[in-house]
Amino acid sequence: MTNTSADTSVPVEALCRTARRTLAVEAVGDTADLGPDSRLDELGVDSLALAEIMVELEEDLSVLLELRPDARLETIRDLSRALHVIGRLPDRERDAP
Amino acid sequence: MNVTDEDGHHSWPYLVGLAEAVRARLAAAGGSAVIAPVLTGGQLVTVLLATRDLACPVVLVGPAVDPPVTATRPARWLVVDPAEGTVTVGPGGPVTGGPATAVGGGLWVLSSGTTGQPVASRWDWPTLTRGADWGRGAGERWAIGYVPYGFAGVHATCQALGRAGGIEFVRPEQLSGDPCLPPLDVVAGTPSFWRMAAIRARRGAGPPRAVGTASTGGEPVDAALLGTIRTTFHPRRIKQIFATTEFGPIATIDDGLPGLPAASCRRRAVDGPAYAVRGDRLVVSPGPGRPYRETGDLVRVDGDRIHVLGRRGTLINVGGHKVDPAVVTRVLQEHPRVLAARAYGVPSQLLGSVVAAEVVVSGPAGPATVAELKRYARRRLTPPESPRRIRLTEDLAVAPSGKVSTVE
């Protein structure tokens, strides 16, 4: 699957940055080498971690995201392709420190 | 006696004169119920003075309530404007809708509606006033941080009117910063009020005011909060008031420890209430011979103390796991650098909700602080309870009730 619109795509680089920071908290392994081809199962990404990456990425990009329900999710790149922007975060959220 | 609020200073003769004018207008209008919108402490004092011991119901409402719909369905109701001292007559005939019907004399106070629609509870005047002659106190200076239209604010104000020579209705930042302000004998506010007051005092805008008795209630109180109050304001005594709008004061604890003593379960003072634990719920019997009823508070018994964790109905559903935001908040606030925190749910496409938190910390803060707090939370909480997003903030969002908000 590929992003069909540049307006709703999620840059894989941004996802990598957010995922590195988020998964580093778990300290399950070295995330410094995390890249587009890193496998989610090897990174220990379960549903909670995936939800966390999504809310953190929303915060980082000041957007609301949606995961395509039928997407293949094996690598970070897959996740990047499966996510798409559906709106902006409300002002109150974006203004928060 | 004088009263200070956000509108300034009000002398006792001025407030009494205003109240007497309102009372005369109420008598002349002859309504069957009185509705009193109150926004400030001075307005509350005016309404209390004007309506004390009236035979008809007096309904106190705050800023976000539509009085005739929410509170009462009287045939002819009067609306007091306590700022101007005026009285207007509402339309005749029954008012349809609304969850409560006010009948009988006394003061009707709406709950904060933490877990849903605000509920109106009736308080008779002797219970509220204890027969005190208001305005002739011995000179104590009281500060009240509760909102003036909730039960805690009304209860504290009635006590202050019977004992104090001066009452200040304050915001948290007014407990520090001006070395010329007089010491306070009693300060009463929610735990959120005290946390925010401590944060402001620690930011160094000026010295904290001297406090004799620090009184707090309306939200769960933990050891971290008691420590924060002690180290910031150095009160001689800390009083925890366990109360609800429906049942009134249930217990007052001043032994310096968080929670209710388990040994006092089912014990009551003469004619007073008694509390007990049923499962994970706090139940209260309002008086001798009266059955125990749920307060809506979730509790945990830990050794010889009963800790109130939060309100039923505010749980966050994380992929089917019910998470109590009060538990998350308490754990975060036990971190040595956390001055205040609040946890709440944020929508998640994958899990329905996940837990997020806003945190006020001492000292420098940045991304490393967030990571440190997340790691700390994961050591202390289950995976569904662990905050998935932590924001560092300067202040916490506080609901109009004066309690910390449990929604984003």
Side-chain angles (χ1 to χ4, degrees):
Chain A
M1 179 182 287
T2 59
N3 290 321
T4 56
S5 166
D7 291 336
T8 64
S9 65
V10 173
V12 70
E13 299 80 13
L15 175 58
C16 286
R17 281 195 298 274
T18 300
R20 274 187 215 112
R21 190 185 71 236
T22 303
L23 297 175
V25 172
E26 297 284 0
V28 292
D30 186 3
T31 59
D33 295 334
L34 185 150
D37 296 320
S38 298
R39 294 186 59 83
L40 298 176
D41 55 353
E42 292 174 357
L43 292 168
V45 175
D46 58 11
S47 59
L48 275 166
L50 191 52
E52 179 169 355
I53 290 170
M54 283 181 66
V55 295
E56 289 283 25
L57 189 59
E58 286 179 332
E59 187 88 345
D60 290 347
L61 302 179
S62 298
V63 298
L64 293 168
L65 296 172
E66 190 173 79
L67 192 66
R68 297 180 207 280
D70 56 347
R72 185 184 68 172
L73 290 178
E74 293 181 0
T75 65
I76 290 288
R77 193 187 311 278
D78 291 339
L79 179 58
S80 166
R81 290 170 174 164
L83 290 170
H84 64 115
V85 177
I86 58 170
R88 304 282 298 171
L89 275 185
D91 284 346
R92 187 168 140 257
E93 296 198 357
R94 280 189 276 130
D95 290 342
Chain B
M1 164 71 86
N2 59 76
V3 173
T4 305
D5 63 14
E6 62 194 72
D7 292 333
H9 297 280
H10 312 284
S11 71
W12 187 246
Y14 169 77
L15 291 172
V16 170
L18 195 60
E20 286 177 348
V22 169
R23 198 174 181 94
R25 289 172 182 144
L26 288 172
S32 59
V34 175
I35 292 170
V38 163
L39 298 177
T40 67
Q43 292 174 12
L44 172 63
V45 172
T46 301
V47 168
L48 291 172
L49 287 169
T51 62
R52 179 176 173 173
D53 297 326
L54 283 183
C56 69
V58 178
V59 184
L60 206 62
V61 294
V65 175
D66 182 6
V69 171
T70 300
T72 183
R73 302 174 189 169
R76 177 182 165 83
W77 42 274
L78 308 174
V79 180
V80 171
D81 181 343
E84 301 295 330
T86 58
V87 172
T88 54
V89 181
V95 178
T96 57
T101 300
V103 291
L107 188 68
W108 289 75
V109 184
L110 300 177
S111 69
S112 60
T114 305
T115 57
Q117 186 81 0
V119 175
S121 293
R122 173 185 172 276
W123 292 93
D124 63 50
W125 288 106
T127 300
L128 287 172
T129 65
R130 297 178 182 274
D133 197 4
W134 286 348
R136 300 182 189 278
E140 290 183 356
R141 189 154 198 90
W142 282 49
I144 296 173
Y146 294 115
V147 293
Y149 43 83
F151 175 74
V154 171
H155 186 247
T157 302
C158 287
Q159 280 191 303
L161 286 169
R163 289 173 48 182
I167 306 174
E168 300 177 29
F169 291 89
V170 294
R171 296 186 302 277
E173 58 268 28
Q174 291 174 289
L175 289 194
S176 60
D178 186 347
C180 298
L181 289 173
L184 296 162
D185 295 286
V186 178
V187 182
T190 60
S192 294
F193 168 89
W194 281 107
R195 284 194 187 90
M196 297 313 298
I199 288 168
R200 297 300 177 101
R202 289 179 184 201
R203 284 186 186 148
R209 295 176 72 176
V211 174
T213 295
S215 174
T216 190
E219 292 175 298
V221 175
D222 55 27
L225 173 65
L226 297 178
T228 297
I229 295 174
R230 270 190 212 104
T231 56
T232 308
F233 296 101
H234 308 288
R236 287 191 302 276
R237 186 168 68 138
I238 300 177
K239 280 172 57 177
Q240 298 173 65
I241 312 289
F242 291 82
T244 72
T245 301
E246 184 181 7
F247 296 108
I250 297 165
T252 300
I253 308 298
D254 62 358
D255 61 6
L257 300 173
L260 290 157
S264 297
C265 266
R266 298 187 183 276
R267 292 184 187 168
R268 74 174 85 236
V270 177
D271 294 334
Y275 60 84
V277 175
R278 187 180 294 157
D280 61 354
R281 310 284 171 82
L282 186 69
V283 294
V284 168
S285 162
R290 299 176 66 183
Y292 282 87
R293 292 166 54 196
E294 285 201 14
T295 62
D297 289 313
L298 295 169
V299 297
R300 185 190 76 242
V301 180
D302 188 4
D304 59 356
R305 306 295 281 197
I306 301 165
H307 299 279
V308 177
L309 303 177
R311 299 287 291 171
R312 183 165 46 85
T314 58
L315 301 180
I316 304 166
N317 191 333
V318 181
H321 298 272
K322 302 295 194 300
V323 174
D324 185 342
V327 171
V328 182
T329 297
R330 179 174 53 80
V331 166
L332 288 171
Q333 286 175 167
E334 287 171 0
H335 187 283
R337 284 194 59 202
V338 172
L339 301 174
R342 75 178 187 102
Y344 50 91
V346 293
S348 166
Q349 182 188 359
L350 296 170
L351 299 167
S353 303
V354 291
V355 176
E358 289 182 353
V359 176
V360 184
V361 297
S362 59
T369 313
V370 171
E372 175 195 334
L373 290 172
K374 278 189 172 183
R375 274 193 283 271
Y376 161 81
R378 284 175 202 196
R379 289 195 301 270
R380 300 278 304 273
L381 296 165
T382 65
E385 290 173 324
S386 299
R388 299 292 149 177
R389 189 186 76 196
I390 293 179
R391 287 181 180 151
L392 303 176
T393 64
E394 295 289 315
D395 291 301
L396 294 185
V398 176
S401 62
K403 302 176 183 181
V404 74
S405 178
T406 55
V407 297
E408 187 174 21

mmCIF file of all heavy atoms in Angstrom, chain B residues 199-222:
data_model
loop_
_atom_site.group_PDB
_atom_site.id
_atom_site.type_symbol
_atom_site.label_atom_id
_atom_site.label_comp_id
_atom_site.label_asym_id
_atom_site.label_seq_id
_atom_site.Cartn_x
_atom_site.Cartn_y
_atom_site.Cartn_z
ATOM 1 N N ILE B 199 2.884 25.209 44.118
ATOM 2 C CA ILE B 199 3.678 25.436 42.906
ATOM 3 C C ILE B 199 3.983 26.924 42.766
ATOM 4 O O ILE B 199 5.127 27.319 42.508
ATOM 5 C CB ILE B 199 2.922 24.907 41.675
ATOM 6 C CG1 ILE B 199 2.915 23.383 41.685
ATOM 7 C CG2 ILE B 199 3.551 25.428 40.383
ATOM 8 C CD1 ILE B 199 1.949 22.775 40.686
ATOM 9 N N ARG B 200 2.975 27.750 42.944
ATOM 10 C CA ARG B 200 3.187 29.201 42.822
ATOM 11 C C ARG B 200 4.172 29.703 43.884
ATOM 12 O O ARG B 200 5.016 30.539 43.608
ATOM 13 C CB ARG B 200 1.858 29.939 42.953
ATOM 14 C CG ARG B 200 0.854 29.627 41.863
ATOM 15 C CD ARG B 200 1.410 30.004 40.504
ATOM 16 N NE ARG B 200 0.507 29.651 39.429
ATOM 17 C CZ ARG B 200 -0.300 30.509 38.813
ATOM 18 N NH1 ARG B 200 -0.317 31.767 39.168
ATOM 19 N NH2 ARG B 200 -1.085 30.107 37.834
ATOM 20 N N ALA B 201 4.025 29.173 45.096
ATOM 21 C CA ALA B 201 4.917 29.624 46.167
ATOM 22 C C ALA B 201 6.355 29.219 45.884
ATOM 23 O O ALA B 201 7.295 29.975 46.140
ATOM 24 C CB ALA B 201 4.455 29.033 47.501
ATOM 25 N N ARG B 202 6.548 28.032 45.314
ATOM 26 C CA ARG B 202 7.906 27.550 45.056
ATOM 27 C C ARG B 202 8.555 28.252 43.883
ATOM 28 O O ARG B 202 9.772 28.163 43.695
ATOM 29 C CB ARG B 202 7.882 26.045 44.810
ATOM 30 C CG ARG B 202 7.587 25.253 46.063
ATOM 31 C CD ARG B 202 7.554 23.786 45.771
ATOM 32 N NE ARG B 202 7.182 23.035 46.963
ATOM 33 C CZ ARG B 202 7.448 21.747 47.126
ATOM 34 N NH1 ARG B 202 8.086 21.089 46.193
ATOM 35 N NH2 ARG B 202 7.080 21.120 48.216
ATOM 36 N N ARG B 203 7.758 28.885 43.054
ATOM 37 C CA ARG B 203 8.361 29.609 41.930
ATOM 38 C C ARG B 203 9.035 30.888 42.395
ATOM 39 O O ARG B 203 9.635 31.602 41.596
ATOM 40 C CB ARG B 203 7.301 29.907 40.877
ATOM 41 C CG ARG B 203 6.968 28.662 40.073
ATOM 42 C CD ARG B 203 6.033 28.941 38.948
ATOM 43 N NE ARG B 203 5.663 27.677 38.322
ATOM 44 C CZ ARG B 203 4.496 27.438 37.757
ATOM 45 N NH1 ARG B 203 3.583 28.388 37.729
ATOM 46 N NH2 ARG B 203 4.236 26.279 37.211
ATOM 47 N N GLY B 204 8.875 31.205 43.661
ATOM 48 C CA GLY B 204 9.673 32.272 44.223
ATOM 49 C C GLY B 204 9.181 33.666 43.962
ATOM 50 O O GLY B 204 9.946 34.616 44.041
ATOM 51 N N ALA B 205 7.896 33.834 43.659
ATOM 52 C CA ALA B 205 7.366 35.173 43.459
ATOM 53 C C ALA B 205 7.338 35.947 44.767
ATOM 54 O O ALA B 205 7.264 37.163 44.776
ATOM 55 C CB ALA B 205 5.957 35.092 42.874
ATOM 56 N N GLY B 206 7.446 35.275 45.859
ATOM 57 C CA GLY B 206 7.423 35.916 47.165
ATOM 58 C C GLY B 206 7.187 34.858 48.214
ATOM 59 O O GLY B 206 6.905 33.702 47.892
ATOM 60 N N PRO B 207 7.314 35.233 49.471
ATOM 61 C CA PRO B 207 7.198 34.212 50.518
ATOM 62 C C PRO B 207 5.770 33.696 50.642
ATOM 63 O O PRO B 207 4.808 34.440 50.414
ATOM 64 C CB PRO B 207 7.597 34.982 51.775
ATOM 65 C CG PRO B 207 7.282 36.404 51.458
ATOM 66 C CD PRO B 207 7.527 36.576 49.998
ATOM 67 N N PRO B 208 5.623 32.422 51.015
ATOM 68 C CA PRO B 208 4.270 31.923 51.286
ATOM 69 C C PRO B 208 3.705 32.583 52.531
ATOM 70 O O PRO B 208 4.445 32.941 53.443
ATOM 71 C CB PRO B 208 4.476 30.412 51.482
ATOM 72 C CG PRO B 208 5.917 30.238 51.759
ATOM 73 C CD PRO B 208 6.649 31.391 51.162
ATOM 74 N N ARG B 209 2.391 32.737 52.536
ATOM 75 C CA ARG B 209 1.755 33.340 53.703
ATOM 76 C C ARG B 209 1.738 32.330 54.851
ATOM 77 O O ARG B 209 1.675 31.125 54.636
ATOM 78 C CB ARG B 209 0.327 33.770 53.365
ATOM 79 C CG ARG B 209 0.296 34.876 52.340
ATOM 80 C CD ARG B 209 -1.116 35.225 51.928
ATOM 81 N NE ARG B 209 -1.839 35.946 52.981
ATOM 82 C CZ ARG B 209 -3.070 36.430 52.811
ATOM 83 N NH1 ARG B 209 -3.694 36.258 51.648
ATOM 84 N NH2 ARG B 209 -3.679 37.082 53.786
ATOM 85 N N ALA B 210 1.796 32.852 56.043
ATOM 86 C CA ALA B 210 1.718 31.982 57.215
ATOM 87 C C ALA B 210 0.306 31.418 57.328
ATOM 88 O O ALA B 210 -0.672 32.152 57.192
ATOM 89 C CB ALA B 210 2.074 32.769 58.469
ATOM 90 N N VAL B 211 0.218 30.120 57.552
ATOM 91 C CA VAL B 211 -1.074 29.435 57.621
ATOM 92 C C VAL B 211 -1.156 28.675 58.943
ATOM 93 O O VAL B 211 -0.253 27.912 59.273
ATOM 94 C CB VAL B 211 -1.230 28.450 56.444
ATOM 95 C CG1 VAL B 211 -2.502 27.627 56.598
ATOM 96 C CG2 VAL B 211 -1.241 29.205 55.117
ATOM 97 N N GLY B 212 -2.223 28.901 59.689
ATOM 98 C CA GLY B 212 -2.417 28.175 60.941
ATOM 99 C C GLY B 212 -2.938 26.780 60.691
ATOM 100 O O GLY B 212 -2.269 25.785 60.950
ATOM 101 N N THR B 213 -4.133 26.685 60.155
ATOM 102 C CA THR B 213 -4.738 25.396 59.831
ATOM 103 C C THR B 213 -4.951 25.317 58.330
ATOM 104 O O THR B 213 -5.570 26.212 57.745
ATOM 105 C CB THR B 213 -6.086 25.222 60.553
ATOM 106 O OG1 THR B 213 -5.852 25.168 61.953
ATOM 107 C CG2 THR B 213 -6.776 23.935 60.116
ATOM 108 N N ALA B 214 -4.434 24.268 57.722
ATOM 109 C CA ALA B 214 -4.677 24.008 56.305
ATOM 110 C C ALA B 214 -5.760 22.953 56.223
ATOM 111 O O ALA B 214 -5.599 21.851 56.749
ATOM 112 C CB ALA B 214 -3.405 23.527 55.621
ATOM 113 N N SER B 215 -6.864 23.306 55.589
ATOM 114 C CA SER B 215 -7.997 22.388 55.486
ATOM 115 C C SER B 215 -8.195 22.031 54.021
ATOM 116 O O SER B 215 -8.085 22.894 53.145
ATOM 117 C CB SER B 215 -9.245 23.089 56.039
ATOM 118 O OG SER B 215 -10.394 22.301 55.827
ATOM 119 N N THR B 216 -8.463 20.757 53.777
ATOM 120 C CA THR B 216 -8.621 20.356 52.379
ATOM 121 C C THR B 216 -9.619 19.219 52.249
ATOM 122 O O THR B 216 -9.766 18.393 53.151
ATOM 123 C CB THR B 216 -7.264 19.970 51.754
ATOM 124 O OG1 THR B 216 -7.419 19.802 50.343
ATOM 125 C CG2 THR B 216 -6.701 18.683 52.352
ATOM 126 N N GLY B 217 -10.320 19.195 51.132
ATOM 127 C CA GLY B 217 -11.294 18.140 50.870
ATOM 128 C C GLY B 217 -11.844 18.276 49.468
ATOM 129 O O GLY B 217 -11.551 19.243 48.754
ATOM 130 N N GLY B 218 -12.632 17.296 49.074
ATOM 131 C CA GLY B 218 -13.273 17.349 47.763
ATOM 132 C C GLY B 218 -12.602 16.490 46.717
ATOM 133 O O GLY B 218 -13.174 16.246 45.657
ATOM 134 N N GLU B 219 -11.379 16.063 46.987
ATOM 135 C CA GLU B 219 -10.623 15.189 46.083
ATOM 136 C C GLU B 219 -9.773 14.268 46.963
ATOM 137 O O GLU B 219 -9.559 14.561 48.142
ATOM 138 C CB GLU B 219 -9.684 15.999 45.184
ATOM 139 C CG GLU B 219 -10.372 16.865 44.156
ATOM 140 C CD GLU B 219 -9.336 17.707 43.425
ATOM 141 O OE1 GLU B 219 -8.666 18.520 44.085
ATOM 142 O OE2 GLU B 219 -9.200 17.544 42.217
ATOM 143 N N PRO B 220 -9.246 13.187 46.380
ATOM 144 C CA PRO B 220 -8.363 12.329 47.170
ATOM 145 C C PRO B 220 -7.135 13.089 47.680
ATOM 146 O O PRO B 220 -6.584 13.933 46.975
ATOM 147 C CB PRO B 220 -7.948 11.234 46.179
ATOM 148 C CG PRO B 220 -9.064 11.189 45.186
ATOM 149 C CD PRO B 220 -9.539 12.607 45.060
ATOM 150 N N VAL B 221 -6.746 12.766 48.901
ATOM 151 C CA VAL B 221 -5.558 13.364 49.518
ATOM 152 C C VAL B 221 -4.541 12.257 49.730
ATOM 153 O O VAL B 221 -4.885 11.205 50.269
ATOM 154 C CB VAL B 221 -5.908 14.010 50.877
ATOM 155 C CG1 VAL B 221 -4.658 14.526 51.567
ATOM 156 C CG2 VAL B 221 -6.919 15.126 50.697
ATOM 157 N N ASP B 222 -3.309 12.476 49.289
ATOM 158 C CA ASP B 222 -2.285 11.451 49.495
ATOM 159 C C ASP B 222 -1.143 12.014 50.337
ATOM 160 O O ASP B 222 -1.111 13.207 50.672
ATOM 161 C CB ASP B 222 -1.784 10.905 48.152
ATOM 162 C CG ASP B 222 -1.290 12.000 47.225
ATOM 163 O OD1 ASP B 222 -0.852 13.058 47.734
ATOM 164 O OD2 ASP B 222 -1.346 11.820 45.998
#
